[in-house]
Amino acid sequence: MSSAHLQQHTYTWQWQNYTLNVATETFGSGPSVLLLPALSTVSTRAELSTLAQALAPHFQVTLLDWPGFGDSDRPSLSYQPDVYRQFLRAFVRDTLLQEVAVVAAGHAAGYALDLQSWSHMVLIAPTWRGPLADPSPPVTLRRRIRQLVRSPVIGPALYGLNTRPGLVIRCSITPQRI
């Protein structure tokens, strides 16, 4: 991306007793477009950078890392859907002063649909299927995996291994038209 027009920001958001700093980037000028990366342990705003580059000459493009992902803070809290729903509402209300078009990848689409304050919406289907996608593991196994990932020592170690640059695959999205 052209660093001459790129502005990196930190959006500070209060959630219950936590203060979260969320990494964002804005560049270009014109009507607002918000790009929302998928919600997975390896997702960052960088996965939509190719699309953002193509849109920037015509739009003001905003990319973000969800709370707990990418370069954003990762406090030890229970990351439930309401956290992301409330975050997205607050972010749009506080930072986007005009009607916004939204491009949402994967599970971010559900949060974008819930937002209901967009001028246009593009939903990008998930392109990755993890080892636990189908068939769904038994409830007890899912609970054990969740407990393991949330544990204070093993959880951060697994997250660190899973998000090492060598394991993160960047996808390029060829923009068609918004």
Side-chain angles (χ1 to χ4, degrees), residues 31-39 44-45 47-52 54-56 59-64 66 88 91-92 96 100-113 115 117-125 171 173-178:
S32 292
V33 176
L34 174 62
L35 303 183
L36 300 173
L39 288 147
T44 71
R45 63 190 188 279
E47 72 185 48
L48 297 173
S49 65
T50 302
L51 176 60
L55 294 173
F59 299 95
Q60 179 179 350
V61 181
T62 301
L63 295 157
L64 61 82
W66 290 97
L88 186 57
F91 180 80
V92 169
L96 301 170
V100 63
V102 177
V103 177
H107 289 89
Y111 297 103
L113 285 169
L115 188 62
S117 62
W118 33 264
S119 62
H120 295 82
M121 181 172 288
V122 176
L123 307 177
I124 302 170
C171 69
I173 300 170
T174 305
Q176 297 298 318
R177 183 176 162 210
I178 287 190

Side-chain angles (χ1 to χ4, degrees), residues 80-93:
Q80 298 296 322
D82 198 45
V83 172
Y84 299 109
R85 195 174 298 114
Q86 295 299 326
F87 164 76
L88 186 57
R89 287 180 189 152
F91 180 80
V92 169
R93 178 193 66 232

Side-chain angles (χ1 to χ4, degrees), residues 68-86:
F69 294 90
D71 294 325
S72 294
D73 287 349
R74 296 180 181 98
S76 180
L77 61 93
S78 182
Y79 290 94
Q80 298 296 322
D82 198 45
V83 172
Y84 299 109
R85 195 174 298 114
Q86 295 299 326

